Amino acid sequence: MDSKTIGILGGGQLGRMIVEAANRLNVKTLILDAPNSPAKQINASPDHVDGSFTDYDSIVKLAEKCDVLTVEIEHIDVEALKKVAQKFPNLQMYPLPETIKLIQDKYLQKKHLIEHDVEVVESIDVAENSVDALLAIGDQFGYPFMLKSRTLAYDGRGNFVVKNKDSLAQALEFLKDRPLYAEKWCPFTKELAVMVVRSIDGEVFAYPTVETIHKNNICHLVYAPARTSDTIAKKASILAKNAVKSFPGCGIFGVEMFLLPNNELLINEIAPRPHNSGHYTIDACVTSQFEAHVRAVAGLPMPKDFTQLSTSTTNAIMLNVLGDSVPNKELETCRKALETPNASVYLYGKATRPERKMGHINIVSSSMEDAQNRLNYILGESESIPSTLASKEKPLVGIIMGSDSDLPVMSVGADILKKFGVPFELTIVSAHRTPHRMSQYAIEAAKRGIKCIIAGAGGAAHLPGMVAAMTPLPVIGVPVKGSVLDGVDSLHSIVQMPRGIPVATVAINNSTNAALLAIRILGAFDYKWLDKMSQYLNTMEEEVLGKAEVLEDIGYEQYLSEKLKK
Amino acid sequence: MDSKTIGILGGGQLGRMIVEAANRLNVKTLILDAPNSPAKQINASPDHVDGSFTDYDSIVKLAEKCDVLTVEIEHIDVEALKKVAQKFPNLQMYPLPETIKLIQDKYLQKKHLIEHDVEVVESIDVAENSVDALLAIGDQFGYPFMLKSRTLAYDGRGNFVVKNKDSLAQALEFLKDRPLYAEKWCPFTKELAVMVVRSIDGEVFAYPTVETIHKNNICHLVYAPARTSDTIAKKASILAKNAVKSFPGCGIFGVEMFLLPNNELLINEIAPRPHNSGHYTIDACVTSQFEAHVRAVAGLPMPKDFTQLSTSTTNAIMLNVLGDSVPNKELETCRKALETPNASVYLYGKATRPERKMGHINIVSSSMEDAQNRLNYILGESESIPSTLASKEKPLVGIIMGSDSDLPVMSVGADILKKFGVPFELTIVSAHRTPHRMSQYAIEAAKRGIKCIIAGAGGAAHLPGMVAAMTPLPVIGVPVKGSVLDGVDSLHSIVQMPRGIPVATVAINNSTNAALLAIRILGAFDYKWLDKMSQYLNTMEEEVLGKAEVLEDIGYEQYLSEKLKK
C-alpha cells in the first residue's frame, strides 16, 4: 500500500501487532530487538536488526534501512534518538523524540499537560529523596499520597503508596535512588481510557471511551464502551483528545484517566504508542489501534469516524492473559476462551513467566451482559466477576407514573418485565407537580440507554403525551381508571395526541400490555426478546387449549361450578 | 496454544491468511511453496520448504517436520499425497487425500453428492471429446448447456457455454484434451455460498449464508448475510452442511450454490479449503474461516455457534481487488477504501498482474444500505452498483389495512415513512375477508425482517389485535373513523385488548402518528432514526416558535384574518 519502510524500536507484543497490521496493508516493517522477538516471528524479512532499542549504534543500523522510525515502548534513550535524527535528516520519527522525552518523565508529562490546560492529578516534584522533603509533601497533600518514580515505571512498578509519616523511610528505601515525584491521593470510582490517534496534520481521532480494571497494578480487564453515562464518555473523549493535541508529531496514544466521585475526570498518564487498553479494537473496531498507528506514521488516509466501533451494538471485553507461576498454565484460560463462542485468543509468542503479559482475549457481543457471561465462563467460578460488581445492567425500559396512587396498576407491568428479565427502572414523574423533573427525564432518557418509556396516568393524563413531546423514543401510555368516568377520560387524553407526537396507547389499567408492548419493541431488534415473546404467545395458546380440553371433557356445567368455587 | 506443527501445501493468499490466524494462536506453521510466497512473508521460520506443492519429494521434506498437513488449494497430486501418508503413518492430513480426490474432479464431486442425496446441478460425463458425444448431450439437456473441465478449473477457466450445435466444435477446441463433463443450463436468480467447518468428530458448523456476485467468472462481491429471506438462507445452510457431512476428515469447506427462480437451491461446487466467499469472516465474525480451519485441523475447541456474525446487526460486503492492466493501479481502489470508515484493506504481498487476486476489502456496518453506500464510494461512479441492482432494501415497516377505503387515511402515514426514508411495504389484509392471508402475514413478518406493523381498521376493527395475536412484533393500531360513532367504535376495539396481547393505539385517523411511532421504535436501536426523530421534533418546535413570533408581531386579529384567507 505504501512504499515507505517503517522501523520499529522494540519487538514485543505491541510491535508484533503493529507488524500484523502492516502486513495486511503490504507496508514493510523492520524490527530492532533481540533475535526471534515476538514481532520478528511474524515478519520474514532478512533486514531486521538484532540489538537493543536503547543502543545508538543499533538504532543507526535500523535507521539506514527505513523511511520512518516508530516505537512500541517509550523507555528509549531520547538523546540517542536525537543524534540519529541529526544523522538522517530525511528520516521521519513518530512519536517525535521531544514527545517521548516529555512523556517518559511522568512529572514533566504532567507539567506539560497542565501548561496546556489539561486536567491531571495534582503532583509535586520531589526535589531531594529525603524524609524531610517527603514530610513537607505529606503536610501539603495529607496521607495517603502516591510516591512515584518519574521514569521507567510501568505496570505499577515504581509506585509506592505512602500511608502515613511512618512509611516515608520505607518508601525511600523501596524507590531507592530513582528520580521521584508525589501525587495527591485520587479516590477514583472508575479508571477510564481512550486511545487517540493523531495524524501528521495534527488532526486527532478518538476510539471509544473504555473502562479499565487493574489487578495488582496490571491491566486485567477492559470494557468497551465504558459502563458510564454517555456524557462522561464524551467528556473523557474530549479530555483525551485535548491532551494528545498538545503533543506534536503523529501516531497512536493511550490516555488513562480517573473518574472521581463528583464525575470530574483527571488524566493519570499517557503512552505515546499502542496501549493495552486498546487491544479490544482488534475485534470491536474495523480499524485496530495498530492499523491506526501504521496509517498515521505512514501518512495513509485517516477518514472521519474510522476509529468507531464496528456496529452500533458492538460491546467488547478484553482480558489480559498473564503468565502463571506454573509454566503454561495460562493456556488453560486460553483453551476455555476457544471453547467460548464470540471470544478470540491472541498469544504473543513469548516464553511463559509469572505475571508476564503472554496474550489477551477479546470477547465481542451485541450486549455487555452477554459478553460478561462469556467472560465469567472463561475466568471460571473462582475468578468470575460477581454480578453486583459486574456491569450493573443499564435499564432498557423506564416506567413512570404521575402519582404513587397509580402504582397498584403500574406494578403489574413491572412484574411482567421482571418475569421476562428485562432491566427496567420505575419512578414517579408528575407532569403537573414536577414539570421540570419530567422534562429532564424525557430529555435524558435516550442518552441513558433507555429504549422505551411506559407512562401511566389518570384523569387529565398529560404525562405520556408530554414526555413523548420531549423524547424521540417510543412512549407507551397506560390510561389509569379514576373514580369517575371509568378511565375513558384518561384514555382519550392519552390516545388523542395531535399529529406529530405519537403515544402508543394500551387498554385502560392494562399495564401488562404496556410491558408486553415494550418487550415487543425491544424484540424488533434483539432476537433474545423476540424469542421470549414468541414463547410467551405459545404458552398462552397452550394454556387456553388446556382449558378447552378440560371444558370439553367435563362439560360446561361442571366447569362453571368448579370455576365459581375458586 | 498447541504443540502441533501444521504444514501447508501452498503459500498463496489463502495460506497467508491461515498463517496469520495460526500466528495469533501461537500455532506453528510451515509452508511448501516458492521462496517469499505470500504465506512465507509473515512467518519467519527457517524451516519452510521451497518447492512445488505437487512434488512428492518436496511434500516429504515438509512432512518430516510436521504433525498435520493441510492445503490451500485442491489441485494436488493425490497419489503423491497418499504415498506420503503411507511413509508417515503418524502424520495427519486434512482434508483427507480421498476428499481431495473426490472434489478436485468436479464430475466425481457431483456424483458423490448425488449419492449422498445432496441436490446438485444436473451433469453428464463426456465419455469422449467428440462432436457426436456433445450432440447427444445437447439433445438431452437442450441449449445452452455448460461444458466444463472435470479438473484444474477455477475462476471460470475451463468452462465453456455451448450456445447451440454450431458452437460444439469451438467448445472442443477451447477445452482441448481436458477431461470434460456437461452441466444442464442453470438459470439462477442469485449465487449463494456458505463456509462450513467440520471438526474431526464430524460435527459441522456453518457460517452465515452469503450472496456472491461474479464478474468475468471471478468473485467480485460478497454480501454477508445474503440478501434473501431467512428461510432461503436457512435452507442454503442446511444444504451446505449436508454436503460437507458427506466428506470425511476435517477442516473448512466453501460451498457455492445456485438459487433458482422457484427458490430451489442446487450446489454448484465445493472447495475443501478456505474460500474467497469467506473472506468477510475476518471482520464480520469473531472467528474467521482461517482460524476455524486452524482449530479444526489442530483439534482445538470449536464451540456451538462460534461461526456466527460478531453482533446481531453485523452486515458486511467483501470486494475483491484484482490486478489492473496498469501495474499497481488497483492500489487506488485500496486507497479509497482507506479513506472510507468501516472498510479494511487486505493485500497479499503478491506482484501485480492483470486480473490477479491482489487483495480484498471488507466493509462492515450495522446496515447493508450503509455498507453499500461505502462500497459505492470505493468503487467510484463508473463502477458503483446502481440502487436498482443494489440490495433492494428490505422493508422495516409493514402498513396493512382492512380495506382500500382506509387508504386515504393510511396513505398519510406512508408519506411520513417516505419522507424519513424508512423502507416499508403497504398492502390490504382483511381480518374478516382474508383471515388466512392475515395469519400468514402476521406469522411471517418477523422472519422477513419487518420490525413493526402498522394496521389501520374501522368499525369492529379486529385487524390490529388479530395480527398482534400472531406475531411477537410491536403492532400499531390506527382507528379509522367510519360513517357512524365518530371512530370511537374502532378506537375502543383496537385499544381495549385483553391482557397478553398489546396493540399500540394512536388517535383516530392519525396514521401520521402511527408512522412516527414506528420510526421511534426503529430509533430505539438505530441511532440513524433516533437522530432523524430528534431533528423532526426540533423542526416542529421551530415552526411553532416561528408562528408565535408572527402572532406576537402582527397581533391576533390580523393573524386570524390572514389564516382565514388561506
PDB file of all heavy atoms in Angstrom, chain A residues 250-268:
ATOM      1  N   CYS A 250       2.926  12.489  15.204  1.00  0.00           N
ATOM      2  CA  CYS A 250       1.712  11.737  14.935  1.00  0.00           C
ATOM      3  C   CYS A 250       1.834  10.314  15.456  1.00  0.00           C
ATOM      4  O   CYS A 250       2.895   9.907  15.926  1.00  0.00           O
ATOM      5  CB  CYS A 250       1.388  11.739  13.450  1.00  0.00           C
ATOM      6  SG  CYS A 250       2.550  10.797  12.470  1.00  0.00           S
ATOM      7  N   GLY A 251       0.752   9.584  15.372  1.00  0.00           N
ATOM      8  CA  GLY A 251       0.733   8.202  15.847  1.00  0.00           C
ATOM      9  C   GLY A 251      -0.350   8.006  16.885  1.00  0.00           C
ATOM     10  O   GLY A 251      -1.146   8.905  17.156  1.00  0.00           O
ATOM     11  N   ILE A 252      -0.371   6.813  17.460  1.00  0.00           N
ATOM     12  CA  ILE A 252      -1.403   6.477  18.435  1.00  0.00           C
ATOM     13  C   ILE A 252      -0.914   6.777  19.845  1.00  0.00           C
ATOM     14  O   ILE A 252       0.276   6.657  20.130  1.00  0.00           O
ATOM     15  CB  ILE A 252      -1.809   4.983  18.300  1.00  0.00           C
ATOM     16  CG1 ILE A 252      -3.088   4.666  19.083  1.00  0.00           C
ATOM     17  CG2 ILE A 252      -0.711   4.044  18.774  1.00  0.00           C
ATOM     18  CD1 ILE A 252      -4.303   4.537  18.266  1.00  0.00           C
ATOM     19  N   PHE A 253      -1.841   7.198  20.710  1.00  0.00           N
ATOM     20  CA  PHE A 253      -1.544   7.472  22.114  1.00  0.00           C
ATOM     21  C   PHE A 253      -2.595   6.775  22.980  1.00  0.00           C
ATOM     22  O   PHE A 253      -3.777   6.792  22.654  1.00  0.00           O
ATOM     23  CB  PHE A 253      -1.623   8.972  22.412  1.00  0.00           C
ATOM     24  CG  PHE A 253      -0.548   9.803  21.757  1.00  0.00           C
ATOM     25  CD1 PHE A 253      -0.613  10.115  20.410  1.00  0.00           C
ATOM     26  CD2 PHE A 253       0.531  10.282  22.496  1.00  0.00           C
ATOM     27  CE1 PHE A 253       0.374  10.879  19.792  1.00  0.00           C
ATOM     28  CE2 PHE A 253       1.525  11.056  21.894  1.00  0.00           C
ATOM     29  CZ  PHE A 253       1.450  11.346  20.542  1.00  0.00           C
ATOM     30  N   GLY A 254      -2.148   6.211  24.104  1.00  0.00           N
ATOM     31  CA  GLY A 254      -3.086   5.683  25.094  1.00  0.00           C
ATOM     32  C   GLY A 254      -3.219   6.686  26.228  1.00  0.00           C
ATOM     33  O   GLY A 254      -2.210   7.104  26.799  1.00  0.00           O
ATOM     34  N   VAL A 255      -4.438   7.085  26.532  1.00  0.00           N
ATOM     35  CA  VAL A 255      -4.662   8.078  27.582  1.00  0.00           C
ATOM     36  C   VAL A 255      -5.455   7.420  28.704  1.00  0.00           C
ATOM     37  O   VAL A 255      -6.595   7.004  28.510  1.00  0.00           O
ATOM     38  CB  VAL A 255      -5.431   9.299  27.035  1.00  0.00           C
ATOM     39  CG1 VAL A 255      -5.607  10.355  28.124  1.00  0.00           C
ATOM     40  CG2 VAL A 255      -4.712   9.886  25.827  1.00  0.00           C
ATOM     41  N   GLU A 256      -4.837   7.327  29.877  1.00  0.00           N
ATOM     42  CA  GLU A 256      -5.505   6.730  31.032  1.00  0.00           C
ATOM     43  C   GLU A 256      -5.972   7.831  31.968  1.00  0.00           C
ATOM     44  O   GLU A 256      -5.237   8.802  32.201  1.00  0.00           O
ATOM     45  CB  GLU A 256      -4.536   5.810  31.779  1.00  0.00           C
ATOM     46  CG  GLU A 256      -4.159   4.574  30.991  1.00  0.00           C
ATOM     47  CD  GLU A 256      -3.228   3.671  31.788  1.00  0.00           C
ATOM     48  OE1 GLU A 256      -2.040   4.031  31.937  1.00  0.00           O
ATOM     49  OE2 GLU A 256      -3.692   2.635  32.277  1.00  0.00           O
ATOM     50  N   MET A 257      -7.171   7.680  32.519  1.00  0.00           N
ATOM     51  CA  MET A 257      -7.680   8.741  33.402  1.00  0.00           C
ATOM     52  C   MET A 257      -8.508   8.170  34.544  1.00  0.00           C
ATOM     53  O   MET A 257      -8.922   7.009  34.520  1.00  0.00           O
ATOM     54  CB  MET A 257      -8.472   9.765  32.603  1.00  0.00           C
ATOM     55  CG  MET A 257      -9.621   9.208  31.818  1.00  0.00           C
ATOM     56  SD  MET A 257     -10.282  10.461  30.684  1.00  0.00           S
ATOM     57  CE  MET A 257      -9.360  10.099  29.204  1.00  0.00           C
ATOM     58  N   PHE A 258      -8.718   9.019  35.551  1.00  0.00           N
ATOM     59  CA  PHE A 258      -9.528   8.644  36.707  1.00  0.00           C
ATOM     60  C   PHE A 258     -10.868   9.365  36.646  1.00  0.00           C
ATOM     61  O   PHE A 258     -10.920  10.553  36.303  1.00  0.00           O
ATOM     62  CB  PHE A 258      -8.826   9.060  38.009  1.00  0.00           C
ATOM     63  CG  PHE A 258      -7.514   8.358  38.252  1.00  0.00           C
ATOM     64  CD1 PHE A 258      -6.357   9.085  38.538  1.00  0.00           C
ATOM     65  CD2 PHE A 258      -7.433   6.971  38.222  1.00  0.00           C
ATOM     66  CE1 PHE A 258      -5.149   8.440  38.766  1.00  0.00           C
ATOM     67  CE2 PHE A 258      -6.218   6.317  38.459  1.00  0.00           C
ATOM     68  CZ  PHE A 258      -5.072   7.059  38.729  1.00  0.00           C
ATOM     69  N   LEU A 259     -11.926   8.643  36.998  1.00  0.00           N
ATOM     70  CA  LEU A 259     -13.238   9.270  37.175  1.00  0.00           C
ATOM     71  C   LEU A 259     -13.456   9.429  38.679  1.00  0.00           C
ATOM     72  O   LEU A 259     -13.393   8.453  39.425  1.00  0.00           O
ATOM     73  CB  LEU A 259     -14.322   8.386  36.567  1.00  0.00           C
ATOM     74  CG  LEU A 259     -15.771   8.859  36.772  1.00  0.00           C
ATOM     75  CD1 LEU A 259     -16.025  10.184  36.053  1.00  0.00           C
ATOM     76  CD2 LEU A 259     -16.754   7.792  36.278  1.00  0.00           C
ATOM     77  N   LEU A 260     -13.669  10.657  39.126  1.00  0.00           N
ATOM     78  CA  LEU A 260     -13.829  10.932  40.557  1.00  0.00           C
ATOM     79  C   LEU A 260     -15.306  10.851  40.956  1.00  0.00           C
ATOM     80  O   LEU A 260     -16.191  10.890  40.097  1.00  0.00           O
ATOM     81  CB  LEU A 260     -13.260  12.312  40.888  1.00  0.00           C
ATOM     82  CG  LEU A 260     -11.795  12.515  40.477  1.00  0.00           C
ATOM     83  CD1 LEU A 260     -11.270  13.835  41.022  1.00  0.00           C
ATOM     84  CD2 LEU A 260     -10.923  11.363  40.958  1.00  0.00           C
ATOM     85  N   PRO A 261     -15.571  10.772  42.258  1.00  0.00           N
ATOM     86  CA  PRO A 261     -16.968  10.642  42.700  1.00  0.00           C
ATOM     87  C   PRO A 261     -17.847  11.805  42.223  1.00  0.00           C
ATOM     88  O   PRO A 261     -19.043  11.634  42.006  1.00  0.00           O
ATOM     89  CB  PRO A 261     -16.842  10.641  44.227  1.00  0.00           C
ATOM     90  CG  PRO A 261     -15.454  10.167  44.497  1.00  0.00           C
ATOM     91  CD  PRO A 261     -14.609  10.673  43.369  1.00  0.00           C
ATOM     92  N   ASN A 262     -17.261  12.991  42.059  1.00  0.00           N
ATOM     93  CA  ASN A 262     -18.062  14.133  41.572  1.00  0.00           C
ATOM     94  C   ASN A 262     -18.141  14.172  40.043  1.00  0.00           C
ATOM     95  O   ASN A 262     -18.503  15.197  39.459  1.00  0.00           O
ATOM     96  CB  ASN A 262     -17.470  15.446  42.102  1.00  0.00           C
ATOM     97  CG  ASN A 262     -16.059  15.671  41.586  1.00  0.00           C
ATOM     98  OD1 ASN A 262     -15.504  14.818  40.882  1.00  0.00           O
ATOM     99  ND2 ASN A 262     -15.480  16.809  41.915  1.00  0.00           N
ATOM    100  N   ASN A 263     -17.775  13.049  39.397  1.00  0.00           N
ATOM    101  CA  ASN A 263     -17.797  12.934  37.925  1.00  0.00           C
ATOM    102  C   ASN A 263     -16.724  13.760  37.224  1.00  0.00           C
ATOM    103  O   ASN A 263     -16.743  13.895  35.999  1.00  0.00           O
ATOM    104  CB  ASN A 263     -19.172  13.251  37.340  1.00  0.00           C
ATOM    105  CG  ASN A 263     -20.129  12.096  37.555  1.00  0.00           C
ATOM    106  OD1 ASN A 263     -19.708  10.995  37.907  1.00  0.00           O
ATOM    107  ND2 ASN A 263     -21.409  12.331  37.356  1.00  0.00           N
ATOM    108  N   GLU A 264     -15.795  14.323  38.005  1.00  0.00           N
ATOM    109  CA  GLU A 264     -14.661  15.007  37.387  1.00  0.00           C
ATOM    110  C   GLU A 264     -13.726  13.952  36.789  1.00  0.00           C
ATOM    111  O   GLU A 264     -13.634  12.831  37.287  1.00  0.00           O
ATOM    112  CB  GLU A 264     -13.928  15.805  38.470  1.00  0.00           C
ATOM    113  CG  GLU A 264     -12.956  16.842  37.932  1.00  0.00           C
ATOM    114  CD  GLU A 264     -12.148  17.487  39.081  1.00  0.00           C
ATOM    115  OE1 GLU A 264     -12.506  17.268  40.262  1.00  0.00           O
ATOM    116  OE2 GLU A 264     -11.171  18.162  38.794  1.00  0.00           O
ATOM    117  N   LEU A 265     -13.014  14.332  35.732  1.00  0.00           N
ATOM    118  CA  LEU A 265     -12.052  13.419  35.110  1.00  0.00           C
ATOM    119  C   LEU A 265     -10.654  14.011  35.196  1.00  0.00           C
ATOM    120  O   LEU A 265     -10.460  15.208  34.899  1.00  0.00           O
ATOM    121  CB  LEU A 265     -12.415  13.204  33.640  1.00  0.00           C
ATOM    122  CG  LEU A 265     -13.648  12.342  33.374  1.00  0.00           C
ATOM    123  CD1 LEU A 265     -14.170  12.569  31.965  1.00  0.00           C
ATOM    124  CD2 LEU A 265     -13.308  10.862  33.560  1.00  0.00           C
ATOM    125  N   LEU A 266      -9.686  13.216  35.600  1.00  0.00           N
ATOM    126  CA  LEU A 266      -8.295  13.666  35.670  1.00  0.00           C
ATOM    127  C   LEU A 266      -7.429  12.679  34.904  1.00  0.00           C
ATOM    128  O   LEU A 266      -7.593  11.458  35.041  1.00  0.00           O
ATOM    129  CB  LEU A 266      -7.813  13.716  37.125  1.00  0.00           C
ATOM    130  CG  LEU A 266      -8.496  14.729  38.039  1.00  0.00           C
ATOM    131  CD1 LEU A 266      -7.930  14.593  39.450  1.00  0.00           C
ATOM    132  CD2 LEU A 266      -8.293  16.142  37.516  1.00  0.00           C
ATOM    133  N   ILE A 267      -6.477  13.208  34.141  1.00  0.00           N
ATOM    134  CA  ILE A 267      -5.585  12.298  33.420  1.00  0.00           C
ATOM    135  C   ILE A 267      -4.580  11.689  34.381  1.00  0.00           C
ATOM    136  O   ILE A 267      -3.995  12.394  35.208  1.00  0.00           O
ATOM    137  CB  ILE A 267      -4.901  13.038  32.260  1.00  0.00           C
ATOM    138  CG1 ILE A 267      -5.945  13.246  31.159  1.00  0.00           C
ATOM    139  CG2 ILE A 267      -3.700  12.247  31.734  1.00  0.00           C
ATOM    140  CD1 ILE A 267      -5.422  13.702  29.852  1.00  0.00           C
ATOM    141  N   ASN A 268      -4.419  10.386  34.288  1.00  0.00           N
ATOM    142  CA  ASN A 268      -3.414   9.681  35.072  1.00  0.00           C
ATOM    143  C   ASN A 268      -2.103   9.652  34.306  1.00  0.00           C
ATOM    144  O   ASN A 268      -1.128  10.251  34.719  1.00  0.00           O
ATOM    145  CB  ASN A 268      -3.921   8.270  35.393  1.00  0.00           C
ATOM    146  CG  ASN A 268      -2.883   7.428  36.104  1.00  0.00           C
ATOM    147  OD1 ASN A 268      -1.960   7.963  36.720  1.00  0.00           O
ATOM    148  ND2 ASN A 268      -3.015   6.122  36.010  1.00  0.00           N
TER     149      ASN A 268
END
